[in-house]
Amino acid sequence: MSTHGYSLTSTWTGNQGTGTSGYRDYTRDVTLSVPGRPEIEASADVPFRGDPVRWNPELLLLAAASECHMLSYLHACVLRGVVVTSYVDEASAEIEVVGNGGRFTGATLRPRIEVADEAMIGDAIAAHEEAHEWCFISNSLNFDVVIEPVVTAA
């Protein structure tokens, strides 16, 4: 077993001069930063008074689940001898808002994969099960992540 640590800096940039003096007196803008990487301009989701052109926590969580599954899947394919030539995931998730809180109720990953040879399709489909088991993010979530893959040959 090994342990890996992660850290970043979240800086609120939404003070418009009066801080949080009122609910409408500040923006939900945040800058996420890690040394040596591009900053991410984030905000709340639009229904929560956020900026629609910035990433929000809900999208970032969905992106993390999608990318983690993809990276785990590509590794599983290498181990199975499957040559992936294209991978695009159209992921979605739902949240349930109750009062001032809420929770994710589920996510669906819809990867569209192209492999080099038709004979690889069966293993390419089976590799999703391993990828789902190996994905650090999916293993950490308290809601179901459903995988609906479509695999075709080049």
Side-chain angles (χ1 to χ4, degrees):
M1 182 172 118
S2 65
T3 303
H4 301 268
Y6 302 90
S7 60
L8 61 81
T9 302
S10 296
T11 304
W12 174 52
T13 58
N15 183 351
Q16 297 187 334
T18 60
T20 57
S21 58
Y23 187 71
R24 290 174 166 54
D25 296 336
Y26 64 97
T27 72
R28 279 58 176 176
D29 293 351
V30 174
T31 300
L32 305 174
S33 59
V34 175
R37 297 185 183 174
E39 291 183 338
I40 296 175
E41 292 185 344
S43 187
D45 195 7
V46 173
F48 310 109
R49 302 192 55 78
D51 184 336
V53 301
R54 292 176 175 240
W55 285 86
N56 61 60
E58 296 82 7
L59 286 173
L60 289 167
L61 181 68
L62 180 59
S66 175
E67 182 182 357
C68 186
H69 181 83
M70 179 190 331
L71 296 173
S72 298
Y73 177 78
L74 295 174
H75 178 67
C77 285
V78 167
L79 295 179
R80 288 175 165 269
V82 173
V83 178
V84 176
T85 58
S86 175
Y87 185 114
V88 176
D89 183 11
E90 297 289 336
S92 64
E94 302 79 36
I95 62 170
E96 175 182 81
V97 178
V98 179
N100 287 327
R103 64 182 295 276
F104 274 82
T105 57
T108 304
L109 307 182
R110 295 178 188 86
R112 303 301 177 250
I113 297 114
E114 185 177 274
V115 296
D117 187 270
E118 192 170 336
M120 298 175 176
I121 291 176
D123 277 336
I125 292 170
H128 282 286
E129 190 171 315
E130 293 163 331
H132 192 61
E133 290 175 15
W134 299 342
C135 177
F136 303 131
I137 303 300
S138 289
N139 287 327
S140 302
L141 301 173
N142 68 351
F143 56 86
D144 290 333
V145 178
V146 176
I147 316 297
E148 297 177 352
V150 172
V151 180
T152 58

